[in-house]
């Protein structure tokens, strides 16, 4: 469905003299609650910081956050409420592939921009939709990097895929298969589980039977942690490779010693909990602001992503000026080019590029901590 | 006459085919419109109800648990599912009409909340509603638990979408029909051409043939047509075949016609006789052959400006009998024509009706018989002279009588003079009067002789037969009487004039009377009979004819020779007495004036010659008539 722009955005678009209303539906509880919480804290750290400095062009940014519990139906309902009842100006910081994919029709119908999704799903990137503003690298890029690492650097050819049986998992599976195909390989086994459950045993059995040398895992931290633990109990120890959505800190925490050697690709550099030891200025600022506004929280990859999302949102609003419309906002975001986030890799959008960052980082769990793979 | 009938065959076929195609197309279009469109609309409504009912089934549990997120999810599934173009909105409400979930993302359209509240939710219903700028079919389907209604699914089917589908269908049909029409346009055009192109070329060739251009038969294009037609086997090919045969036949016959025309033209030109082509009613000369110009001395250009009557006494000919009738072949003899220099030419005329350059004409063939006529005259003259010679004694006697009377008178006068007597005035007067009368008488005889012996040309004039008889009587009457033959005249004074020549007619009578005299004398000498000789001349009218009977009581003619007496050089007279030209010449003269001569005779008792001439009825006039 082609995006309907211009027809509805001027009435009740969430902009008042003092305030810009931004809506967000994400998992604050349930099995993916960690992701949403981390993300919103990272984002809020920066937004509170901006509001305290007087907001953007004299307007404070108010975030309306609704919990969808990683449930697509709930996410859809929330989004309808945000657009119809709350009349937010833009949507922001959605978490998860099935949830975000579910609301694409609403975004198109309402012509409302969505900035920063914690998902690398291809559906949000191709075909290019002007309302969807991606910031992080895609799952295709992450799985490509994973396969490159497994096949090229480790020289392993027997690769299995373990995935969540929904949009997110399918997306990762496709990416892995495409990447393997470039090496003339196919997955030796595929195992899956249903979202929101921990029923990983059937998938594990299939993968164990295939005697895979490496397993690319596209799932959430709870299921993947269980899978790895159960595998180790069976003395099945291939190279476990997760993608960023897994929530690496939580994964590492849950696995404990079992997590040793598990690789996780990241789309942002790993933040260290102590700002003094941080090299990158952007990460340093994130840790600083998080520690100020959420002293109980610890810096994480997901949080850093939320923080970066907030920075881009603010940058877009800044560039749009005082006479803000959804269209001018989208144009402003698209004009962001070679933008320094202070994380070494610069951010760029383009007319046909609705994804700001392309960098993928390899991290490995060492003693319960995630460190960059040398 | 309708405008259609004015069209060419090609256009008739073309328009008929096209018309039928269009008619069929329109019928199909109407059929589609009435049947397909209504069934499509009905089908789409049923689809909508089906969707709503499946949503109703799925939503039951969520209505009971008031799970609005899942209800919204269901609603959006329907709104953005396979039927997203058809489903404009979907609302899930509870049994009191409160909305539990809906698919309005950016705002409610129109008074939808009121409408939803007002819908009776117990039955399936379809309503036609106006929703903002759109018209929708608002479908309501109840959600039941057991026998009770717990809510309803209300769904708007986009009428615009249905209309679009119908419009799309119409376009497809229209393009299909247009394509069919276009194909038929092309086909019917080809069909019309296929039928009419050979006909058109036939018409073209017929036109060329009409102009007499037969060379096209051998032309390249005609051969191509012939070859093309051979590849098909239909009525057109048969027509063309017949046309080709007809053309070949026509060419052959035209060629032979041309040949024969050439032949007749050369006959016309090189024929020995003058030939005229004259117009049927006016007798204008249209053409004349070189011999005609040669004979008459006119050029062809001069001739074609004249009528046939300007050339000669042609209309005179009609006085003699039936009028000059161009319808039948007519033969006229000894017609006098005039050359340019005024010389007379005698011709025989043959006419026959004909057609010349599409006009009814008469072909007039003439034979120059001037020489023949001249010979005729000479012969007649010779005969006349022979007669005169025979009569010279009588004539001399005739002249002597007045001379004697004059002498007696003049001697009386001399005697009186010598005796010195005076002549009594009454005697003097008597003598002088007698002398004068006798001179007149002699002069008259001389004059008659002169006129009789004069060589005459061949011309016709109005003649009274009685006058001729009296004239001849004057010459030889006394002579005959002197020979003791009683010559009596029984003349009918009321007879009509005839067209003849005085002199010639006199000669005829003269000959016949002298013949009669000779016959009587012969009878008297041979039979020594004493009863006096008798010649009776009668004139009478009979059946538009004038008749002359010359009757004698001479020797008569042997019936065995009556047939041959009119033959030339046949004579019964002793050698040296007759020339044998008498009766044949008489017959010739009578014939010249369209008369007949017959003889009836009883040997020893006498002979009757009967001559009949056609009476002049006076309907045609001539120069001679005015000045007889």
């Amino acid at each position: 469905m082609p995006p309907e722009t211009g027809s509805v955005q001027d009435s009740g678009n969430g902009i008042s003299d003092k305030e810009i209303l931004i809506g967000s539906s994400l998992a604050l509880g349930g099995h993916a609650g960690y992701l949403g919480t981390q993300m919103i804290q990272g984002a809020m750290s920066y937004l509170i910081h901006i509001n305290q400095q007087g907001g953007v062009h004299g307007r404070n940014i108010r975030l309306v956050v609704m919990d969808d519990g990683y449930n697509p139906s709930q996410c859809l309902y929330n989004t309808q409420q945000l657009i119809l009842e709350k009349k937010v100006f833009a949507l922001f910081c959605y978490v998860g592939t099935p949830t975000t994919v579910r609301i694409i029709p609403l975004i198109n119908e309402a012509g409302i921009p969505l900035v920063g999704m914690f998902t690398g799903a291809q559906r949000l990137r191709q075909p290019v939709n002007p309302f969807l503003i991606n910031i992080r690298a895609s799952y295709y890029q992450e799985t490509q990097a994973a396969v490159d690492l497994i096949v090229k650097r480790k020289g392993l050819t027997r690769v299995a895929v373990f995935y969540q049986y929904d949009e997110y998992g399918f997306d990762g599976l496709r990416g892995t298969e495409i990447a393997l195909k470039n090496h003339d390989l196919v997955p030796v086994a595929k195992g899956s589980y249903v979202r929101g459950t921990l029923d990983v045993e059937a998938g594990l059995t299939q993968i164990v039977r295939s005697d895979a040398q490496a397993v690319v895992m596209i799932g959430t931290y709870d299921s993947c942690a269980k899978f790895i633990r159960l595998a180790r109990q069976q003395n099945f120890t291939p190279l476990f490779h997760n993608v960023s959505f897994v929530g690496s800190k939580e994964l590492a925490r849950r696995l404990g010693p079992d997590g040793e050697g598990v690789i996780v690709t990241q789309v942002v550099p790993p933040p260290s909990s102590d700002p003094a030891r941080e090299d990158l200025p952007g990460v340093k600022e994130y840790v600083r602001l998080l520690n100020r506004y959420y002293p109980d929280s610890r810096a994480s990859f997901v949080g850093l992503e939320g923080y970066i999302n907030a920075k881009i949102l603010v940058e877009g609003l800044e560039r749009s000026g005082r006479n803000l419309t959804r269209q001018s906002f989208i144009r402003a975001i698209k004009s962001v080019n070679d933008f320094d986030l202070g994380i070494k890799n610069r951010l760029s959008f383009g007319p046909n590029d609705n994804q700001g960052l392309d960098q993928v980082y390899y991290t490995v769990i060492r003693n319960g901590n995630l460190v960059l793979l040398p | 006459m309708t405008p259609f009938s004015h069209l060419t065959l090609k256009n008739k076929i073309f328009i008929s085919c096209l018309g039928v195609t269009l008619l069929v197309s329109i019928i199909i279009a109407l059929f589609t419109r009435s049947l397909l469109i209504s069934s499509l609309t009905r089908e789409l409504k049923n689809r909508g109800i089906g969707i709503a009912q499946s949503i109703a089934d799925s939503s039951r549990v969520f209505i009971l648990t008031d799970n609005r997120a899942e209800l919204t999810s269901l609603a959006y599934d329907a709104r953005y599912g396979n039927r997203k173009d058809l489903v404009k909105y979907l609302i899930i409400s509870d049994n009191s009409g409160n909305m539990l979930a809906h698919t309005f993302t950016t705002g409610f359209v129109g008074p939808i909340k009121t409408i939803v509240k007002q819908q009776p939710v117990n039955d399936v219903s379809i309503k036609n509603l106006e929703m903002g700028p759109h018209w929708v079919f608002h479908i309501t389907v109840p959600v039941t638990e057991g026998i009770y209604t717990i809510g309803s699914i209300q769904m708007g089917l986009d009428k615009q979408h249905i209309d679009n589908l119908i419009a799309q269908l119409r376009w497809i049909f229209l393009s299909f029909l247009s394509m069919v029409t276009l194909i038929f346009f092309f086909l019917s055009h080809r069909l019309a051409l296929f039928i009419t192109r050979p006909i058109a070329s036939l018409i073209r060739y017929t036109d060329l043939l009409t102009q007499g251009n037969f060379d096209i038969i051998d032309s390249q294009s005609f051969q191509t047509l012939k070859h093309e037609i051979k590849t098909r086997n239909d009525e057109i090919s048969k027509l063309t075949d017949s046309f080709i045969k007809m053309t070949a036949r026509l060419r052959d016959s035209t060629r032979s016609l041309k040949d024969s025309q050439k032949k007749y033209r050369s006959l016309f030109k090189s024929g020995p006789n003058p030939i005229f082509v004259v117009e049927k009613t006016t007798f204008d000369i249209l053409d004349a052959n070189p011999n005609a110009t040669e004979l008459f001395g006119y050029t062809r250009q001069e001739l074609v400006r004249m009528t046939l009557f300007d050339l000669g006494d042609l209309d005179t000919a009609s006085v003699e009998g039936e009028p000059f009738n161009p319808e039948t072949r007519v033969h006229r003899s000894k017609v006098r024509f005039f050359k340019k220099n005024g010389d007379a030419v005698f011709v025989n005329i043959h006419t026959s009706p004909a057609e010349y350059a599409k006009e009814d004409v008469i072909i007039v063939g003439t034979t120059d018989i001037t020489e023949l006529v001249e010979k005729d005259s000479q012969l007649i003259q010779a005969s006349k002279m022979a007669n005169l010679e025979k009569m010279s004694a009588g004539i001399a006697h005739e002249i002597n009588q007045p001379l004697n009377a004059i002498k007696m008178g003049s001697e009386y006068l001399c005697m009186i003079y010598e005796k010195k007597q005076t002549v009594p005035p009454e005697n003097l007067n008597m003598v002088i009067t007698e002398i004068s009368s006798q001179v007149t008488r002699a002069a008259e005889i001389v004059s008659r002789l002169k006129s009789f012996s004069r060589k005459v040309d061949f011309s016709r004039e109005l003649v009274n037969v009685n006058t001729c008889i009296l004239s001849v009587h004057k010459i030889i009457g006394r002579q005959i009487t002197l020979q003791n033959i009683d010559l009596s005249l029984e003349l009918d004074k009321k007879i009509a004039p005839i067209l003849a020549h005085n002199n010639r007619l006199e000669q005829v009578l003269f000959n016949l009377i002298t013949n009669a005299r000779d016959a009587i004398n012969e009878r008297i000498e041979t039979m020594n009979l004493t009863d006096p000789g008798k010649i009776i001349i009668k004139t009478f009218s009979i059946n538009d004819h004038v008749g002359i009977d010359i009757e004698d009581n001479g020797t008569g003619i042997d019936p065995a020779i009556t047939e041959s007496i009119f033959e030339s050089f046949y004579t019964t007279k002793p050698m040296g007495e007759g020339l044998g030209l008498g009766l044949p010449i008489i017959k010739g003269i009578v014939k010249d004036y369209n008369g007949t001569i017959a003889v009836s005779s009883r040997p020893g008792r006498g002979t009757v010659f009967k001559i009949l001439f056609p009476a002049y009825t006076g309907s045609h006039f001539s120069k001679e008539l005015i000045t007889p």
Side-chain angles (χ1 to χ4, degrees):
Chain A
M1 189 172 173
E4 291 174 18
T5 55
S7 59
V8 287
Q9 63 193 29
D10 288 331
S11 56
N13 57 3
I15 297 172
S16 63
D17 283 350
K18 295 276 178 209
E19 221 172 46
I20 300 172
L21 215 56
I22 304 291
S24 182
S25 171
L26 69 177
L28 296 174
H31 60 283
Y34 165 76
L35 299 174
T37 314
Q38 286 296 311
M39 171 152 272
I40 209 71
Q41 284 175 357
M44 283 305 293
S45 304
Y46 188 68
L47 292 180
I48 294 166
H49 169 66
I50 290 296
N51 284 342
Q52 281 185 350
Q53 290 182 347
V56 183
H57 295 297
R59 293 188 185 104
N60 274 343
I61 299 167
R62 186 152 73 85
L63 201 59
V64 181
V65 182
M66 294 177 88
D67 179 20
D68 60 32
Y70 196 40
N71 177 352
S73 297
Q74 192 62 48
C75 180
L76 180 77
Y77 180 72
N78 287 351
T79 305
Q80 188 189 32
Q81 293 298 311
L82 287 171
I83 297 171
L84 187 67
E85 304 292 343
K86 308 289 183 191
K87 301 191 191 305
V88 295
F89 171 72
L91 299 173
F92 177 66
C93 273
Y94 273 53
V95 170
T97 305
T99 45
T100 312
V101 165
R102 193 80 173 85
I103 64 155
I104 292 173
L106 272 69
I107 286 171
N108 286 333
E109 192 184 336
I112 190 166
L114 168 55
V115 180
M117 298 80 90
F118 187 63
T119 163
Q122 200 64 15
R123 277 278 304 278
L124 303 173
R125 287 163 174 81
Q126 289 296 331
V128 174
N129 185 329
F131 303 121
L132 299 174
I133 294 147
N134 294 286
I135 289 164
R136 63 183 341 260
S138 71
Y139 290 141
Y140 276 25
Q141 286 167 322
E142 284 195 59
T143 49
Q144 173 75 48
V147 169
D148 279 354
L149 177 77
I150 293 162
V151 178
K152 276 195 196 160
R153 283 173 68 174
K154 304 282 182 186
L156 306 175
T157 54
R158 301 184 60 80
V159 182
V161 182
F162 178 72
Y163 64 97
Q164 180 171 296
Y165 198 85
D166 69 355
E167 284 287 342
Y168 160 53
F170 297 147
D171 209 60
L173 174 63
R174 278 196 294 273
T176 311
E177 283 174 335
I178 292 167
L180 281 172
K181 204 179 170 193
N182 289 337
H183 297 283
D184 292 326
L185 294 172
V186 290
V188 291
K190 290 179 244 178
S192 65
Y193 71 97
V194 176
R195 180 183 66 228
T197 68
L198 295 172
D199 307 331
V200 300
E201 287 83 358
L204 176 63
T205 311
Q206 279 187 326
I207 291 168
V208 169
R209 201 180 293 150
S210 75
D211 199 20
Q213 295 165 312
V215 182
V216 178
M217 306 176 76
I218 304 119
T220 48
Y221 51 82
D222 46 0
S223 315
C224 289
K226 188 180 178 189
F227 182 90
I228 294 168
R229 222 174 20 247
L230 287 176
R232 293 218 192 275
Q233 280 168 17
Q234 294 179 24
N235 291 321
F236 178 61
T237 53
L239 177 65
F240 294 107
H241 192 122
N242 289 270
V243 292
S244 56
F245 187 78
V246 76
S248 37
K249 291 256 156 121
E250 185 64 15
L251 180 72
R253 190 185 65 77
R254 291 195 179 208
L255 282 174
D258 279 342
E260 194 68 16
V262 171
I263 296 173
V264 184
T265 46
Q266 305 290 351
V267 294
V268 288
S272 36
S273 41
D274 185 1
R277 281 169 43 205
E278 189 57 60
D279 299 334
L280 300 168
V283 182
K284 206 175 190 170
E285 191 190 31
Y286 154 64
V287 177
R288 190 170 53 82
L289 291 174
L290 182 73
N291 286 343
R292 185 189 302 169
Y293 298 115
Y294 298 95
D296 300 338
S297 191
R298 289 182 61 215
S300 66
F301 291 97
V302 188
L304 179 55
E305 239 188 287
Y307 173 78
I308 291 170
N309 289 350
K311 277 195 96 167
I312 297 303
L313 175 75
V314 170
E315 180 63 21
L317 293 172
E318 280 288 351
R319 290 189 182 211
S320 300
R322 173 77 183 174
N323 295 321
L324 184 65
T325 65
R326 282 169 179 168
Q327 256 177 329
S328 70
F329 174 68
I330 291 167
R331 266 200 306 277
I333 293 239
K334 293 276 176 182
S335 74
V336 175
N337 193 26
D338 202 21
F339 185 68
D340 187 6
L341 291 163
I343 56 163
K344 204 158 141 194
N345 293 297
R346 288 164 178 269
L347 179 142
S348 288
F349 288 105
N352 284 312
D353 179 14
N354 62 348
Q355 180 185 308
L357 294 169
D358 295 304
Q359 184 66 35
V360 177
Y361 305 84
Y362 299 109
T363 56
V364 65
I365 299 173
R366 294 268 186 255
N367 298 321
N369 285 318
L370 282 143
V371 294
L372 274 171
L373 199 70
Chain B
M1 291 285 268
T2 58
F4 186 74
S5 57
H6 288 293
L7 294 172
T8 61
L9 180 63
K10 190 195 114 190
N11 287 342
K12 274 179 191 164
I13 295 169
F14 181 55
I15 287 173
S16 305
C17 290
L18 215 58
V20 168
T21 314
L22 280 178
L23 197 72
V24 170
S25 305
I26 288 165
I27 289 169
I28 290 173
L30 290 176
F31 175 78
T32 310
R33 191 188 149 80
S34 62
L35 198 83
L36 227 56
I37 286 172
S38 66
S39 66
L40 182 76
T41 310
R42 197 166 53 242
E43 176 60 25
L44 284 173
K45 280 182 189 168
N46 287 340
R47 265 317 146 76
I49 291 170
I51 292 168
Q53 274 167 343
S54 84
I55 300 289
D57 288 340
S58 315
S59 63
R60 185 177 298 116
V61 61
F62 298 125
I63 291 173
L64 289 170
T65 56
D66 197 27
N67 188 338
R68 297 201 176 197
E70 288 302 332
L71 288 175
T72 306
S73 178
L74 273 176
Y76 270 107
D77 276 340
R79 169 76 179 87
Y80 288 113
N82 291 332
R83 290 281 159 187
K84 62 183 173 191
D85 293 330
L86 180 65
V87 180
K88 192 74 186 157
Y89 57 83
L90 194 132
I91 297 156
I92 303 171
S93 65
D94 61 19
N95 55 358
S96 48
N98 298 318
M99 274 194 228
L100 300 175
H102 58 83
T103 60
F104 296 99
T105 312
T106 55
F108 293 102
V109 183
I112 190 72
K113 281 182 174 167
T114 346
I115 289 164
V116 169
K117 203 137 191 128
Q118 284 165 357
Q119 289 304 307
V121 294
N122 291 323
D123 292 305
V124 174
S125 71
I126 297 178
K127 263 192 184 168
N128 212 352
L129 287 180
E130 193 177 2
M131 287 288 173
H134 298 289
W135 278 87
V136 293
F137 289 117
H138 188 87
I139 294 174
T140 309
V141 169
V143 183
T144 55
E145 189 198 21
I147 57 168
Y148 297 106
T149 304
I150 56 166
S152 72
I153 309 297
Q154 301 193 18
M155 187 164 70
L157 297 185
D158 192 358
K159 255 185 135 180
Q160 186 72 41
H161 175 67
I162 297 172
D163 290 346
N164 285 348
L165 280 182
I166 290 167
Q168 210 176 343
L169 204 70
R170 276 194 190 133
W171 269 112
I172 290 168
F173 253 85
L174 202 69
S175 4
F176 174 74
L177 291 180
S178 305
M179 218 167 68
V180 167
T181 311
L182 213 67
I183 289 167
F184 266 83
F185 183 87
F186 181 70
L187 279 182
S188 56
H189 188 73
R190 287 299 300 265
L191 179 72
L193 270 186
F194 181 72
I195 294 172
T196 57
R197 199 164 41 196
I199 294 180
S201 21
L202 285 187
I203 290 169
R204 201 172 62 246
Y205 287 125
T206 311
D207 287 345
L208 285 173
L209 288 180
T210 315
Q211 292 158 14
N213 183 4
F214 285 97
D215 296 335
I216 52 143
I217 292 182
D218 303 316
S219 73
Q220 189 64 46
S221 56
F222 195 77
Q223 294 302 324
T224 315
L225 175 74
K226 215 162 144 182
H227 189 74
E228 269 175 24
I229 287 304
K230 267 184 189 160
T231 58
R232 31 197 283 185
N233 186 24
D234 51 19
E235 286 84 348
I236 298 283
S237 95
K238 283 172 188 160
L239 173 68
T240 312
D241 206 37
S242 300
F243 176 80
I244 290 167
K245 281 179 187 160
M246 185 196 78
T247 309
R249 194 63 193 278
L250 201 59
R251 178 186 56 173
D252 292 347
S253 65
T254 309
R255 272 182 188 166
S256 64
L257 189 67
K258 269 187 184 162
D259 288 348
S260 108
Q261 263 179 355
K262 238 183 252 174
K263 196 164 76 190
Y264 283 108
R265 173 56 57 177
S266 66
L267 279 178
F268 178 72
K269 284 202 165 148
S270 62
N273 294 323
I275 300 169
F276 297 96
V277 180
V278 300
E279 213 275 328
K280 193 175 165 186
T281 49
T282 62
F283 290 87
D284 289 332
I285 293 170
L286 302 173
D287 200 359
N289 69 350
N291 261 306
T293 60
E294 194 185 315
L295 179 66
F296 293 100
Y298 294 103
T299 64
R300 192 175 166 276
Q301 283 68 34
E302 287 170 326
L303 281 173
V304 295
R305 284 196 292 268
M306 300 165 72
T307 71
L308 198 60
F309 298 139
D310 294 334
L311 272 180
D313 305 334
L314 196 64
D315 49 347
T316 335
S318 59
V319 179
E320 293 176 11
E322 76 257 59
F324 195 84
N325 186 355
E327 289 298 331
T328 52
R329 287 164 181 276
V330 177
H331 174 245
R332 290 267 182 276
S333 59
K334 291 179 189 166
V335 180
R336 189 174 57 179
F337 276 17
F338 296 97
K339 292 188 184 179
K340 195 183 180 184
N341 57 17
D343 291 352
V345 180
F346 286 92
V347 291
N348 283 345
I349 291 182
H350 299 264
T351 63
S352 65
E355 225 174 63
Y356 176 86
K358 290 180 181 166
E359 272 187 85
D360 280 338
V361 297
I362 311 164
I363 305 294
V364 179
T366 60
T367 318
D368 181 9
I369 52 159
T370 315
E371 230 169 284
L372 204 66
V373 169
E374 201 63 37
K375 291 265 163 56
D376 236 16
S377 301
Q378 282 171 10
L379 203 58
I380 292 165
Q381 193 64 17
S383 157
K384 225 157 39 180
M385 287 311 156
N387 283 330
L388 279 177
E389 201 181 305
K390 277 187 281 179
M391 295 186 310
S392 56
I395 293 165
H397 174 77
E398 196 80 5
I399 295 170
N400 270 342
Q401 275 192 321
L403 286 179
N404 284 337
I406 293 165
K407 188 166 176 69
M408 276 165 60
S410 59
E411 279 172 353
Y412 166 72
L413 288 178
C414 281
M415 188 185 75
I416 297 294
Y417 178 73
E418 280 164 8
K419 290 172 184 174
K420 305 285 189 212
Q421 293 172 338
T422 41
V423 185
E426 65 270 22
N427 285 0
L428 184 63
N429 185 36
M430 193 196 75
V431 170
I432 293 168
T433 309
E434 188 62 23
I435 290 171
S436 175
S437 108
Q438 290 303 324
V439 169
T440 306
R441 187 181 158 200
E444 201 171 291
I445 291 166
V446 171
S447 153
R448 281 193 189 282
L449 272 177
K450 220 170 105 190
S451 95
F452 180 72
S453 61
R454 193 181 67 213
K455 187 176 171 220
V456 294
D457 58 2
F458 187 85
S459 60
R460 293 179 175 88
E461 53 198 30
L462 279 181
V463 173
N464 193 323
V465 178
N466 293 346
T467 322
C468 281
I469 293 168
L470 291 171
S471 177
V472 172
H473 185 258
K474 274 208 174 120
I475 297 171
I476 56 168
R478 190 171 297 266
Q479 223 181 349
I480 300 239
T481 323
L482 286 175
Q483 293 175 9
N484 285 322
I485 296 168
D486 175 24
L487 178 60
S488 61
L489 302 180
E490 297 173 19
L491 300 182
D492 179 353
K493 290 214 170 52
K494 288 176 188 162
I495 57 167
I498 64 166
L499 265 181
H501 195 278
N502 226 357
N503 188 283
R504 297 214 160 170
L505 207 54
E506 282 172 14
Q507 181 166 8
V508 168
L509 295 168
F510 195 93
N511 263 328
L512 289 174
I513 293 167
T514 52
N515 278 351
R517 182 202 62 191
D518 293 347
I520 291 166
N521 288 342
E522 192 186 342
R523 189 185 62 105
I524 292 167
E525 282 166 27
T526 53
M527 296 183 185
N528 265 330
L529 293 175
T530 51
D531 57 323
K534 191 177 177 83
I535 296 175
I536 304 165
I537 300 177
K538 290 182 199 165
T539 58
F540 54 89
S541 292
I542 179 169
N543 294 341
D544 294 337
H545 280 71
V546 176
I548 308 163
D549 277 1
I550 296 160
E551 190 183 342
D552 66 63
N553 56 350
T555 51
I557 301 164
D558 187 350
I561 62 165
T562 44
E563 289 302 313
S564 37
I565 56 166
F566 291 108
E567 286 173 15
S568 299
F569 304 108
Y570 185 87
T571 180
T572 52
K573 292 173 182 173
M575 196 67 118
E577 242 180 74
L579 271 176
L581 282 175
L583 283 172
I585 287 174
I586 285 164
K587 189 179 182 184
I589 292 170
V590 170
K591 248 182 94 180
D592 280 351
Y593 302 124
N594 295 335
T596 57
I597 181 163
V599 62
S600 60
S601 178
R602 281 177 299 169
R605 301 291 292 275
T607 308
V608 180
F609 281 91
K610 185 186 282 288
I611 303 171
L612 288 172
F613 286 112
Y616 177 71
T617 50
S619 57
H620 291 79
F621 287 86
S622 74
K623 294 169 268 192
E624 284 82 5
L625 193 67
I626 301 157
T627 53

